[in-house]
Amino acid sequence: MAGDTHAPAAAEGTRKQAATRALADVPRVPGAKKPDPVIVADGVVRRFGGLTAVSVEHVEIQRGAITALIGPNGAGKTTFFNLLTGFDRPDEGQWSFDGTDLARVPAHKVARRGMVRTFQLTKALSRLTVLQNMLLGASGQKGESLLRAAFAGIWRSQEKANTERALELLGRFKLDTKASDFAGSLSGGQRKLLEMARALMSDPQVVMLDEPMAGVNPALTQSLLGHVKDLREQGMTVLFVEHDMDMVRDISDWVVVMAQGKVVAEGPPDSVMADPAVIEAYLGGHHDVSLSDDSAAAELEKTVEAEVEAEIAADEHEKGRHQS
Amino acid sequence: MDIGSILSNALAAAIGLDTIIYALAALGLNIQFGYAGLLNFGQAAFVAIGSYGIASMVTIAGLPFGVGIVVGLLASVLFALLLGIPTLRLRADYLAIATIAASEVVRLLARSNSLGAYTGGSNGLTGFAEGFYDLNPFPAGTYGFGPFQNNERTTWIFLVGWVLVALVALATWAIMRSPWGRVLKGIREDEDAVRALGKNVYAYKMQALVLGGLVGTLSGFVFSLGRAAVQPDNYATAFTFFTYTVLLLGGAARVLGPVVGAAIFWVVLSLTDGLLRGAIAAGWVPDGLMTTTQVGQVRFMLVGLALMLLMIYRPQGIFGDRRELALDGR
């Protein structure tokens, strides 16, 4: 049990040790029970036509830990992410967040309950200033109701408090000098930072990052990694999708591996990367078949073609969804 | 060519009835398109609903003109909900398709024979404005100075119209500087991002659609009362496109953009009209090139040309912030 979630701002690394300790005895099998899960998903299925993009039997995310969700392209990671955060609807399945049912709850309500996400393609609102972006992230704003909007007296003091908090967060992310610039003028990495800072404005319990390192200048990588670790030190749960294995190894306490929509392995980073199921998922199940045998090669070609087609179909569906 | 009267007409157009009508319609469109990014191509329908709200209630039903105002406003809210409920959850283009079609449906219904008993068919309706002019505090006479001289009726509708424009502009300023306005601008940029921050995007878009539609309906009141007549073909798609022209001319997402845009639009139209007619009358333009009957069309071509040049050299409109527009969203 991560018993010290209520401890005052802990020294660097304390919560990492707590998370490691809590997860030490968890069996390294897909769907393993965690001592203190914040998210529990059961039988989540999402089909796109004939293709089953996600079919997760059971998965639990440990509170206060950094969990990585990895897997080859087309494994269904982002789709699963979209399902959990209400941006897509499942065909079947249930999941709960902090004990309350969250399946089929619209995206904005998911965020209000304390589960905030970022996107693979950063969504900095480019024609708003950096500060306005931040203020948009604050929750429970009185002035966001149309009836009260016209009367500045009602929301001015809250706005001031939010602005102070926003500037403090921007300071932490080293964006305070950019506060009055349009977000569109930031670099790719700065936009990622802004998106993360903006998500923190609402004091979320769970932060879900979809490929936080994609397209980030290597010089900013270390600082971004530091910020993600920092989230854990402040008692937040982090779930992230990532391709960069060095990053996964560096910061995650637990790794969930998906392939073809299913969870195929779970465990701490080191043990997961040695798991044969994971190697198979990444390199394919055919890497030990000899290609000199003609009949075997022909058969292999067929299966590979079928898989590629399925993947293309999934990709196209995904693209279609993004455009919509 | 009488340059003096051409200029005086152009100046009068700056505060004229058309300017008020289009300023109000564009102020409504600014809330929808400028701030929330909603592609409403049916603003003409909201204006028509306001116009027919008064005309039908007074002329056909014989009710007082205040009832017409209330009916117009309620019908406009209903129309916005009807358009918004099925389309606002979908991609932005669906709203554009639905609104342009619905706006033509409204116009064609108004001019149809079967509804002629309620709308006056293609002839429209008259004789409904007296209730409004009975409230006129100005005694008979001429008011104003220089090019801005009008009789008591015109002065009254101008006064009411400009007060409405001022109030709507003030209200727009007040709500757009609030956190509510910030959410709207966020939705214009990327609604998924705003959704991920816990805002009910659908509700905000609906509020913007209804609010902009109501302002369009106010424009309809001024339209019908100012002309003391309604005619269905005044509310064709061209009205909506001119409203977009006015909005882009002045600068979208700026409080006073629509007002300045409307004034410029009508001054330029009046000026080109006067100059072309004068030039033809003076024999400077050969008959084979253009006759006075073609002036009406040609001046719109010139406005189109001016709009193109504006979009190329000043895409942000008169008031817009170039930096803001220069940023590439994705």
Side-chain angles (χ1 to χ4, degrees):
Chain A
M1 174 93 199
D4 58 348
T5 39
H6 300 290
E12 163 74 23
T14 316
R15 293 202 195 254
K16 176 174 174 55
Q17 289 159 15
T20 314
R21 259 202 317 278
L23 291 166
D25 300 330
V26 175
R28 279 91 164 113
V29 291
K33 296 248 182 299
K34 308 291 185 305
D36 182 19
V38 65
I39 299 172
V40 180
D42 273 300
V44 181
V45 176
R46 178 71 170 103
R47 295 187 196 91
F48 297 128
L51 177 91
T52 307
V54 167
S55 168
V56 170
E57 271 171 38
H58 185 85
V59 73
E60 298 185 357
I61 308 297
Q62 169 72 9
R63 191 191 308 274
I66 300 181
T67 304
L69 186 58
I70 65 168
N73 284 326
K77 306 177 299 281
T78 298
T79 310
F80 187 51
F81 231 67
N82 287 343
L83 290 170
L84 287 183
T85 48
F87 278 83
D88 193 4
R89 282 165 177 258
D91 294 297
E92 294 162 29
Q94 294 300 320
W95 63 93
S96 67
F97 165 65
D98 213 10
T100 56
D101 186 32
L102 206 63
R104 293 166 193 85
V105 170
H108 68 273
K109 289 193 179 150
V110 173
R112 280 187 206 166
R113 290 195 195 171
M115 196 156 108
V116 180
R117 72 169 295 180
T118 67
F119 294 86
Q120 186 176 345
L121 301 164
T122 29
K123 292 186 185 295
L125 305 163
S126 41
R127 286 179 212 175
L128 298 185
T129 65
V130 169
L131 183 61
Q132 282 177 320
N133 262 276
M134 292 295 288
L135 290 172
L136 205 50
S139 52
Q141 295 189 51
K142 291 178 196 152
E144 285 186 353
S145 138
L146 177 55
L147 296 176
R148 285 181 287 215
F151 309 103
I154 298 175
W155 46 262
R156 195 170 277 135
S157 63
Q158 196 189 24
E159 181 87 347
K160 214 176 142 200
N162 283 338
T163 308
E164 272 169 27
R165 189 171 146 61
L167 289 173
E168 180 204 314
L169 268 170
L170 284 175
R172 227 167 77 199
F173 284 81
K174 304 224 164 33
L175 287 171
D176 43 348
T177 53
K178 304 260 179 198
S180 51
D181 291 6
F182 283 110
S185 67
L186 299 182
S187 74
Q190 285 171 327
R191 287 186 203 195
K192 289 265 182 200
L193 286 174
L194 172 60
E195 207 183 0
M196 206 184 289
R198 189 176 65 192
L200 297 185
M201 277 297 285
S202 63
D203 277 325
Q205 281 191 61
V206 175
V207 181
M208 306 189 46
L209 310 169
D210 196 351
E211 298 202 20
M213 291 299 149
V216 174
N217 165 1
L220 260 177
T221 311
Q222 278 311 316
S223 130
L224 250 170
L225 283 179
H227 287 301
V228 177
K229 287 181 187 166
D230 217 30
L231 300 181
R232 176 182 54 198
E233 293 311 315
Q234 287 164 28
M236 281 174 249
T237 307
V238 179
L239 177 63
F240 72 100
V241 170
E242 188 51 66
H243 280 298
D244 182 336
M245 285 303 154
D246 287 334
M247 172 183 176
V248 171
R249 194 174 284 126
D250 184 7
I251 66 170
S252 48
D253 302 312
W254 193 260
V255 179
V256 175
V257 188
M258 283 181 78
Q260 293 168 355
K262 297 186 171 60
V263 174
V264 295
E266 270 193 54
D270 291 331
S271 77
V272 151
M273 293 191 190
D275 190 323
V278 178
I279 296 169
E280 183 184 313
Y282 272 91
L283 298 178
H286 322 290
H287 58 95
D288 48 358
V289 177
S290 161
L291 291 178
S292 57
D293 179 352
D294 275 353
S295 65
E299 200 163 304
L300 174 59
E301 205 167 290
K302 254 186 228 160
T303 42
V304 169
E305 262 170 22
E307 279 168 20
V308 168
E309 268 162 28
E311 226 171 76
I312 290 170
D315 273 359
E316 271 173 7
H317 195 99
E318 188 69 6
K319 263 185 224 150
R321 266 185 27 75
H322 274 303
Q323 280 158 7
S324 66
Chain B
M1 187 157 55
D2 181 2
I3 291 287
S5 80
I6 289 173
L7 284 179
S8 137
N9 283 341
L11 275 177
I15 63 152
L17 188 66
D18 285 322
T19 301
I20 300 173
I21 292 167
Y22 280 87
L24 279 171
L27 277 165
L29 193 62
N30 197 22
I31 297 174
Q32 297 162 338
F33 173 73
Y35 291 101
L38 299 175
L39 279 170
N40 171 19
F41 275 109
Q43 190 67 338
F46 288 101
V47 178
I49 286 170
S51 300
Y52 274 96
I54 292 184
S56 295
M57 282 303 125
V58 176
T59 307
I60 306 284
L63 295 166
F65 117 98
V67 176
I69 301 273
V70 174
V71 168
L73 293 174
L74 288 179
S76 160
V77 171
L78 204 67
F79 184 66
L81 293 176
L82 209 64
L83 282 175
I85 288 169
T87 56
L88 286 182
R89 285 187 203 277
L90 304 172
R91 231 166 38 193
D93 359 0
Y94 287 94
L95 182 70
I97 297 165
T99 47
I100 199 166
S103 129
E104 280 297 272
V105 167
V106 166
R107 179 176 71 88
L108 293 171
L109 279 179
R111 64 170 294 159
S112 66
N113 282 331
S114 39
L115 287 181
Y118 308 103
T119 61
S122 56
N123 293 325
L125 293 169
T126 53
F128 52 82
E130 286 319 303
F132 170 76
Y133 289 105
D134 286 346
L135 301 174
N136 190 352
F138 298 103
T142 303
Y143 298 87
F145 58 93
F148 310 109
Q149 288 188 46
N150 296 296
N151 67 19
E152 76 283 357
R153 282 171 70 98
T154 312
T155 308
W156 174 226
I157 186 77
F158 277 16
L159 178 72
V160 171
W162 280 109
V163 166
L164 281 177
V165 169
L167 289 178
V168 171
L170 190 72
T172 309
W173 169 79
I175 54 174
M176 290 310 168
R177 70 183 182 135
S178 77
W180 184 84
R182 189 165 58 218
V183 175
L184 227 54
K185 288 177 223 165
I187 290 171
R188 180 189 66 194
E189 298 299 305
D190 191 322
E191 54 176 82
D192 273 346
V194 177
R195 203 172 276 133
L197 294 172
K199 321 292 176 199
N200 187 350
V201 168
Y202 179 66
Y204 280 99
K205 291 207 288 192
M206 189 63 90
Q207 288 168 6
L209 186 65
V210 170
L211 217 56
L214 281 173
V215 177
T217 305
L218 295 182
S219 160
F221 295 152
V222 177
F223 200 151
S224 57
L225 294 172
R227 305 231 166 123
V230 293
Q231 207 279 319
D233 292 333
N234 284 333
Y235 310 98
T237 47
F239 184 95
T240 304
F241 296 145
F242 289 163
T243 308
Y244 266 98
T245 308
V246 160
L247 180 59
L248 297 176
L249 210 60
R254 286 293 178 275
V255 172
L256 290 178
V259 184
V260 175
I264 293 175
F265 183 78
W266 287 103
V267 165
V268 169
L269 274 184
S270 162
L271 211 58
T272 46
D273 187 72
L275 289 175
L276 285 173
R277 276 178 209 282
I280 291 168
W284 297 345
V285 179
D287 265 358
L289 195 65
M290 196 197 315
T291 62
T292 41
T293 49
Q294 291 166 331
V295 166
Q297 274 71 46
V298 171
R299 62 186 185 143
F300 281 117
M301 291 181 200
L302 292 175
V303 168
L305 185 70
L307 192 68
M308 274 195 269
L309 292 174
L310 184 87
M311 286 295 107
I312 293 165
Y313 294 106
R314 203 176 159 80
Q316 70 274 38
I318 308 283
F319 276 163
D321 184 337
R322 176 129 214 177
R323 279 186 311 151
E324 201 173 332
L325 210 86
L327 301 169
D328 189 12
R330 266 148 281 202

